[in-house]
Every structure is written in C-alpha cells, then in structure tokens.
Amino acid sequence: MGRNSSLWFFSAILIAGVGDVLCNSIRDADGDDYPFRNVSLPWDVRVDDIVKRLTLEEMQLQMARGGAGKIGGPAPAISRLGIGPYEWDTECLRGDVRAPDNATAFPQALGLAAAFSYDLLFRVAEATGVEVRGKHNDFVKQGNYGGHTGASCFSPVINIMRDSRWGRNQETYGEDPYLSGIYATAYVKGLQGNDPRYVRASAGCKHFDVHGGPENIPANRGSFDAEVSEEDWRMTHLPAFKRCVEAGTYNLMCSYNRINGVPACANKKLLTDITRGEWGFKGYVVSDEGAIENVISQHHYLNNSVDTVAACVNAGCNLELSGNLKTPVYFSLVDAVKQGKVTEDKVRESVRPLFYTRMRLGEFDPPEMNPYSKLSSAEVETAEHKALAVEAAMKSFVLLKNNGILPLKGKPYSKIGVVGPFANTTQITGDYYPIAPDSVKTTALQALTTLAQNVQFAQGCDQVNAKCVQYDSQSVIKAVAGTDVNFVLLGTGQISEGEGHDRADTELPGLQKQLLQDVLANTKNTSVVLLLFNAGPVNISFVDQDPRVAAILECFFPAQATGEAIGHVLLNDVTGAVPAGRLPYTWPMLASQLPPMVNYSMQGRTYRYFEGEPLYPFGYGLSYTTFQYSDLSYTSAISAGQPLSVSLTVTNTGSMDADEVVQVYIQWKDASLPAPKIQLAWFNRVTIAAGQKSQLSFEVEARTMALWINDGWFVKPGTMEIFAGGQQPNVKRTVPSNVLTGAFTVTGTKYLGRY
C-alpha cells in the first residue's frame, strides 16, 4: 500500500477509539506496511501474512473470545499489528436482533417460510444486512465493540421442524429440507450482498446439527443425545446445511446436543469429515453459547478444559462462544499445545478463516474501496424497510378457513367484538426479535377498530401475550354481546414456546380454549373470525368444522407491522393483500399423532413420513380467488443424474388479482427404495391478475430425485410421479384448485457422491 493507505489506516484507528498504541505500530520492522494491508495481493496471501505473525497466546485469545456479554467478547485488539477488536456475537434472524438502538422488525422466520417466496426472503435478508452493516460501521466509529455490534451473523436458523412442540420451531423455515435449503440460499445471498470483493454482513447457518428439540421437555438440550440413523441424518438434517455452504456462508454454529454420543462441537465426523471433507466448507465453525462448557458440565464427555479444547479444535470448531466467562474453555488452548494434544499448525489453520472473514468484510482495506463502508444507522427503519415489513407480514399469513366472510367489504359493521390476549399488544414478535421503535408498531385492535363505529374489547386473560392462567369470562361475554361479528385473537407467544421452552402438548395455553368456547356459547348466530398468533400448531380441531367460526387466519408472529398487515388482509384494500401463504409444516389433528420428542427417527414425522390424517397438511392455504392449472409438460424419460425440464400454466379464474404458490412434488414408485412418501421438488410464488395466466418453465434438480443408499447419494432407475398445483397432492384437506399429475422414467443409475 502507498502513503494514502497508511494515512487511512491511522485515521480509522483513531476514529475506532482503539488508541495511540495501535497507531504507532502499523508498519513492520523495515518501516513498510504489512502485506496483509496490501490490497493488490490475493486474499490467501494476505490472510497467511496475518496468521504467521500471531503468537500462540494471541491465537488463543482470538479463538476464545467469540463470546457473549462484556467479558465473553469481543476478540481483543492485537496492538503490535494495528489490528482492532472484533465482536463476533451478532444475531440477524429477521432484522438486527438485540443490537443497541432500533432496527426494522420483520416477521418471525417461520412466518416468512409460509410465504413460500425466495424473492421475499432475499429482500428481507438484504434489508437486514444493510441495517446490520450500517449500525456496525457507526459502532466502530464510536469505539463500541459490545454485544451484537459486529457484522458477522449467527443466522439463518435452518433446523428441521420435526416436532410441533419444540420451542424453537418459530426460528426455522419449517419441516421440509428442500424448502429450508432454498430459503437458506436466499438468506445467505441477500445478507452478504453481491459485491465481487466485499461482504456486507457475513452469514452463519445454525444449529449444526440434528437439533430440533427438546429444549426442556422431557429432557434438557444441554445434555441431550440425538440418536439418529445415517439415512435420516443425510436425507433430513444435513441437506439444508449443504445448500447453505454452497450459497457461500462464512460460518456454521455447532449445536448443544450430542449426535450419536458425540457432542456436536467436538464431532469430527460432522465438523471436518462431512463439512470440510465432503462439502469443501472453507469458513469457520462457532459454538453455540456455552456449548463448549457443556461438553464437560452437562454431557460429561470429557472432564477438563485441556482435553475439551483439544477435542473441539481437532474436530473443527474455530471459535468459542462462551456465556460471558472470564476463563472460557479455549483459554486452555496453549496448554493443550504444550501437552501435545493439538498442534500449533492446527491452531493456525483454525484461526485462519476468522481473519479471512474480517478481511472480506473490508476491515483491513481503505473504506473508499468498500461500498458497504458508506452505510450507516440512517439505513434503519427507512420507508422502504417499513413497507417491506408490512408486505412480508401480509405474505406470511395463511388462510385456513373461510366461508366467504373474508375479505370484509369496507366498513360493514355497526358493532363488533374483539377479544383475546393478542388483540391489544405490540409484543407479537417471537424470539430473537429486532427492537423496533414504538412509533412504527401497530396492534390488531388498532386495525379492527376501523371496521365498525362501536368496538367492544376485552382482553380476557390476566396478562397480554401470556399463558392465560387467570381468565375473566364476564368481560369476554359482555364484549361479544349484541355484535355483528366477533374477532377472537389467541395464540402462544414467547412465554409458551421459545428458546428454552418446549410445549408439553399442542393445546391452546391456559384458559384460551375456554375463552373461545365462551364466545361461541354466547353469540348464537354471530360469526366468529379466529386470528391465531403462534409458531407450532395448536389444537383447534374443536372449532375447525364449527360453522359459527367463519374464518381462521394463521398470522404467526408478524412483529412491528401486525396491525397494519391484518387490516389490509381482512379488507383486501391494497395490492398484495389477498392471502396466499402456505403452511410450512404439517398441522396434526391431535398431539397423540406425534412420536415422542426424544425419538429422532423420522418415521411418523413431517409430511414426508407422516402417518394418519392431519388437520391441515403441509403446503395448505386458501385464497380469496381461485386458480386453474393446465398444460403440464415435462421430459418423459431422463438419464439418472439429469434434471427434469417442466412447464405448466396457472390461470387466475377468480375476480381478484392475487399471488399463487405453485408447488411441485415428486414420488418414487419403487416401494423397496428408502424414500420418503413424497417430496417437494420445486416451488414459486407468482402474482397473477384476475382472468390472466402465468406460464412457468423450470427444472427439477437431479439431487431432489436422489436417495441415500449404502453410504452415498444415488439416483435409481424406475418410474417417478410428478404433481403440480397449489397444494400437496392426495390429501384429504384441499384447496379449490386442481393438481396436475404425470409420470416419467429414470434410466440407469447415477452416483452423485457422498455429501
């Protein structure tokens, strides 16, 4: 670098507040800039230059300080090299989570999954990346390296929603590996940006792996051993993470649990053999918070920090995220090297992707070279981002039932009843939520108040957005008396389901069921519209067929735009308000249809292996309009390992412009193969004007036809069926559109590899 670059670095250090010590040490012994600051050199050369200059003690600090809290992080400055601190602990699930100051709060991840839209998720991730990076730039200028101020995200969450009762279902993209993988790709690419040189904010997929409950019922996540077959591991739990790696993620987070007896963060098969050996992952692995300590304290897999740090580093865990510990386990790394339990070369190899990530974020380059250095906190809650939050919320809603009452026409009622603990709260956020300013939050009650001249409201439950332990029936009965229509708003909320909180069953929390029954018992012929705010499904089988319940709308956790989005969807008064969301999971009739939480066999789980009739199937969701599918065309025979070319036409046969979620499934006809019952193989959300049609052409990937057989992925010969429509085929609960069916032949056998 030339003189101007040195002046830039000097100024940047002063702005960052790191201190004069760093500023006096920005050159090597010969008075030249260090090669790692030379932007004309290849990335690998620059990273190697940093790593070779680090002492073992410095590397220990860099690998041990990825933690949370004032002590757990940041990774400290390396004064003699002019390298500043860096905070690794940043959450970006659907916005800049838990960071100082405000951020746009987009709907919870499971709701975004219900949108079935790559484009929407990409734009949400893009907006999140802009806000995270803009705030990070300002934090660095302020010398603020506290928690959640970095630009390296522990997001997205792509675990499979394998059990309706798991507390963290809300953070996932549902139960399907293909959907989760496509969504992982969208989020990683949207977050990281498309600059050919720099990364806007680095992504990190979690929780790796075989992690889908329990949290606390009936066992503790910190000590749980997920016993999984190789087939289920490969065909259900790993595919989304492989797509995440292919999308270019910079990190993966190893999970709390053991996998077949070995803690995930000390699991060489997972972190090295599969991730780096089979997939070619070049990034870093960070532990979940406290997961390294759990190897000793909860799993009792090892009994001291020296052996534990050696096991985790040798397995492939680069960075410890401790729970704000003064002395994390990785502080024993130097001792482990001295005792010959891990080599210094392995340590240098482990620290390398940490500095590569920071380099690609632009930390060691002049800011004028990096387009993302121009971002600031001014990017937070822009008009565009607020509009996107409303759009995302509207697109996340799933219409489960409608007898024609929706959409409402204008302001048709003189008196309505609004009851339930989720009506008058802005805290319908779900776990890991960005902190939006109060000025942009809207409640469902605010939206419903516009529907009538007289609105009778009763919360009913003792606490807003809670378990409804105490219930005031008289206030509810009074609120629904003499009304034209009643709106009931029920759900779970973070107290009932969330990180650390599983549900023991799928019932509505507390006395919410009684609340709903009281409404029905005291309104006679008055229609009820039920709005649900939950992640995992709840038991509403008792009202699903009740004609008094005219409509049911699943809203998930819409966050800041709750009220505005609900108002638009109920009235269909803006473009894009016709519901088109689809369930990203199977909604069981009863909890008795679910296997025990601790059983990690996929038998009986998710639509791919479910036994019995669900209340609502995966991929289900109604619309205010109707669609007709036609002209299904595809290659009748393909060689194994080749994609299947498909085209079809979708016509909006109704009177409203609307979105439609096109779903394509495949099914193996050979019953002897270790195949799921059926598999989503392609989807897209398309907008079609009333009376118009959309012609779609696409390919079904060869990998979606592959099965894990005898230690590898194979596409086998035989006949496969293909289904195309707005829903899953051959299910009892359907939407009013047709499903096209066909069959094609696969010739030969193709080995796709071991991955």
Side-chain angles (χ1 to χ4, degrees):
M1 258 193 242
R3 183 165 177 259
N4 289 339
S5 296
S6 296
L7 288 173
W8 155 76
F9 187 79
F10 184 89
S11 301
I13 292 295
L14 283 176
I15 293 172
V18 177
D20 292 337
V21 173
L22 293 183
C23 299
N24 293 331
S25 307
I26 62 172
R27 294 176 181 272
D28 63 17
D30 296 323
D32 298 322
D33 285 339
Y34 289 116
F36 68 78
R37 296 193 196 106
N38 186 341
V39 297
S40 67
L41 294 176
W43 296 116
D44 287 350
V45 174
R46 297 177 67 190
V47 173
D48 287 342
D49 183 64
I50 291 181
V51 172
K52 76 179 183 181
R53 297 177 187 278
L54 301 178
T55 66
L56 185 57
E57 290 74 16
E58 287 169 337
M59 290 188 288
Q60 174 178 273
L61 278 170
Q62 295 299 311
M63 294 174 64
R65 287 302 186 205
K70 295 181 179 179
I71 303 174
I78 304 172
S79 302
R80 64 187 184 83
L81 298 179
I83 295 174
Y86 188 75
E87 174 59 46
W88 293 102
D89 182 21
T90 299
E91 299 282 357
C92 319
L93 184 63
R94 34 47 184 269
D96 192 8
V97 175
R98 298 177 178 172
D101 304 323
N102 294 323
T104 306
F106 296 103
Q108 180 58 294
L110 191 60
L112 295 172
F116 273 74
S117 172
Y118 179 103
D119 170 71
L120 177 68
L121 192 73
F122 180 90
R123 288 186 288 124
V124 167
E126 192 172 44
T128 297
V130 166
E131 294 195 7
V132 167
R133 184 54 184 259
K135 292 172 68 175
H136 167 71
N137 289 344
D138 285 353
F139 292 141
V140 170
K141 291 175 183 177
Q142 298 160 9
N144 182 357
Y145 296 95
H148 308 291
T149 61
S152 295
C153 297
F154 300 154
S155 307
V157 174
I158 56 174
N159 298 112
I160 297 302
M161 183 179 168
R162 52 176 283 278
D163 194 294
S164 301
R165 299 159 296 194
W166 184 35
R168 303 189 75 172
N169 284 326
Q170 60 184 278
E171 301 171 44
T172 76
Y173 297 137
E175 71 182 29
D176 183 65
Y178 176 77
L179 173 62
S180 297
I182 297 300
Y183 259 45
T185 301
Y187 207 85
V188 169
K189 290 184 177 296
L191 192 70
Q192 294 185 169
N194 59 5
D195 187 83
R197 181 176 178 86
Y198 297 106
V199 174
R200 178 167 47 217
S202 60
C205 293
K206 64 180 186 181
H207 308 85
F208 197 49
D209 192 33
V210 198
H211 185 74
E215 292 290 298
N216 67 327
I217 301 175
N220 183 281
R221 66 179 181 176
S223 58
F224 180 69
D225 186 9
E227 297 179 356
V228 63
S229 70
E230 191 74 16
E231 180 182 309
D232 284 341
W233 194 1
R234 296 285 183 164
M235 292 182 60
T236 296
H237 299 285
L238 285 173
F241 284 97
K242 184 173 189 298
R243 286 189 186 266
C244 173
V245 169
E246 292 171 345
T249 188
Y250 276 74
N251 84 74
L252 298 170
M253 176 182 281
C254 52
S255 51
Y256 286 118
N257 55 289
R258 299 196 302 279
I259 303 171
N260 296 331
V262 182
C265 293
N267 197 309
K268 180 178 177 294
K269 176 179 178 179
L270 176 67
L271 304 185
T272 294
D273 298 347
I274 293 174
T275 308
R276 293 173 168 106
E278 297 177 12
W279 299 352
F281 177 59
K282 303 297 185 185
Y284 64 94
V285 173
V286 58
S287 75
D288 206 338
E289 184 177 340
I292 303 296
E293 289 78 31
N294 288 356
V295 173
I296 302 170
S297 63
Q298 297 202 44
H299 292 300
H300 306 294
Y301 184 74
L302 295 166
N303 63 10
N304 64 81
S305 59
V306 171
D307 287 341
T308 300
V309 68
C312 294
V313 170
N314 284 328
C317 184
N318 308 74
L319 184 64
E320 179 180 6
L321 174 62
S322 75
N324 199 31
L325 296 181
K326 182 178 181 180
T327 308
V329 171
Y330 271 32
F331 266 25
S332 294
L333 183 56
V334 172
D335 288 340
V337 173
K338 290 178 179 178
Q339 294 179 32
K341 296 185 175 183
V342 61
T343 67
E344 185 170 330
D345 285 346
K346 180 63 178 179
V347 175
R348 293 192 185 279
E349 175 190 321
S350 298
V351 82
R352 195 176 187 282
L354 302 179
F355 283 98
Y356 176 73
T357 300
R358 294 170 66 172
M359 195 164 283
R360 292 299 302 272
L361 287 165
E363 180 177 342
F364 305 112
D365 289 6
E368 62 268 18
M369 291 183 63
N370 186 349
Y372 304 129
S373 67
K374 300 177 179 66
L375 298 174
S376 72
S377 298
E379 312 296 336
V380 173
E381 287 284 6
T382 62
E384 181 183 9
H385 290 182
K386 286 187 282 190
L388 180 58
V390 176
E391 177 192 350
M394 292 193 299
K395 287 185 173 179
S396 73
F397 296 165
V398 180
L399 185 61
L400 300 175
K401 180 181 180 180
N402 186 24
N403 70 357
I405 191 173
L406 301 180
L408 304 172
K409 307 297 188 295
K411 192 174 183 178
Y413 305 114
S414 60
K415 183 188 295 184
I416 64 172
V418 180
V419 298
F422 287 84
N424 192 30
T425 174
T426 59
Q427 299 305 309
I428 308 179
T429 56
D431 260 355
Y432 287 88
Y433 58 91
I435 301 172
D438 291 340
S439 61
V440 304
K441 299 175 184 176
T442 55
T443 69
L445 182 61
Q446 286 175 297
L448 295 171
T449 299
T450 66
L451 301 179
Q453 295 178 347
N454 186 0
V455 177
Q456 300 177 169
F457 167 65
Q459 185 174 296
C461 298
D462 56 330
Q463 288 181 304
V464 173
N465 193 8
K467 289 188 175 182
C468 199
V469 177
Q470 296 179 339
Y471 166 56
D472 179 5
S473 61
Q474 292 306 308
S475 67
V476 170
I477 293 171
K478 181 179 179 181
V480 299
T483 55
D484 299 315
V485 65
N486 292 306
F487 296 87
V488 181
L489 294 87
L490 306 177
T492 55
Q494 293 167 250
I495 297 178
S496 297
E497 59 176 333
E499 183 172 15
H501 302 285
D502 294 319
R503 293 184 296 156
D505 52 44
T506 58
E507 298 301 317
L508 285 164
L511 296 170
Q512 289 188 42
K513 180 178 181 180
Q514 184 63 51
L515 186 157
L516 181 53
Q517 289 174 329
D518 283 348
V519 172
L520 295 174
N522 289 276
T523 53
K524 297 182 180 180
N525 297 321
T526 304
S527 293
V528 171
V529 176
L530 176 61
L531 304 179
L532 294 172
F533 302 89
N534 55 286
V538 292
N539 180 13
I540 54 170
S541 58
F542 66 101
V543 295
D544 175 65
Q545 296 301 317
D546 192 320
R548 293 171 295 177
V549 179
I552 304 174
L553 186 67
E554 173 57 64
C555 303
F556 302 99
F557 299 132
Q560 71 177 52
T562 295
E564 190 172 354
I566 286 173
H568 288 321
V569 169
L570 293 179
L571 290 169
N572 187 30
D573 60 353
V574 297
T575 300
V578 174
R582 300 296 200 272
L583 287 177
Y585 56 71
T586 301
W587 192 307
M589 186 78 67
L590 300 168
S592 59
Q593 293 177 301
L594 302 173
M597 171 89 80
V598 296
N599 179 358
Y600 260 77
S601 168
M602 289 307 298
Q603 184 176 355
R605 295 190 184 279
T606 76
Y607 79 97
R608 299 164 73 226
Y609 303 99
F610 193 77
E611 298 167 359
E613 290 292 338
L615 182 60
Y616 306 113
F618 173 90
Y620 172 82
L622 300 171
S623 175
Y624 294 158
T625 188
T626 55
F627 296 92
Q628 180 73 23
Y629 287 77
S630 62
D631 306 327
L632 178 63
S633 177
Y634 53 90
T635 310
S636 59
I638 61 171
S639 298
Q642 297 298 310
L644 180 73
S645 297
V646 184
S647 64
L648 57 84
T649 300
V650 190
T651 303
N652 183 341
T653 54
S655 59
M656 303 179 192
D657 299 349
D659 287 359
E660 170 68 341
V661 172
V662 181
Q663 303 168 53
V664 176
Y665 295 84
I666 56 174
Q667 188 173 62
W668 293 259
K669 298 303 293 179
D670 186 347
S672 68
L673 293 173
K677 294 181 177 181
I678 197 166
Q679 175 63 58
L680 180 70
W682 188 84
F683 68 90
N684 194 15
R685 183 171 180 139
V686 295
T687 302
I688 309 175
Q692 299 301 307
K693 63 181 60 177
S694 178
Q695 295 177 322
L696 304 173
S697 297
F698 53 90
E699 287 187 341
V700 173
E701 296 174 289
R703 76 162 94 178
T704 64
M705 308 174 209
L707 301 171
W708 181 264
I709 303 172
N710 297 328
D711 270 355
W713 286 96
F714 289 87
V715 179
K716 303 294 283 187
T719 300
M720 298 193 72
E721 286 193 293
I722 182 171
F723 307 91
Q727 58 193 315
Q728 191 185 150
N730 304 321
V731 290
K732 184 176 180 180
R733 191 64 172 263
T734 61
V735 303
S737 65
N738 61 317
V739 175
L740 305 175
T741 304
F744 62 97
T745 301
V746 177
T747 59
T749 296
K750 180 67 174 180
Y751 174 61
L752 299 186
R754 181 181 173 89
Y755 56 82

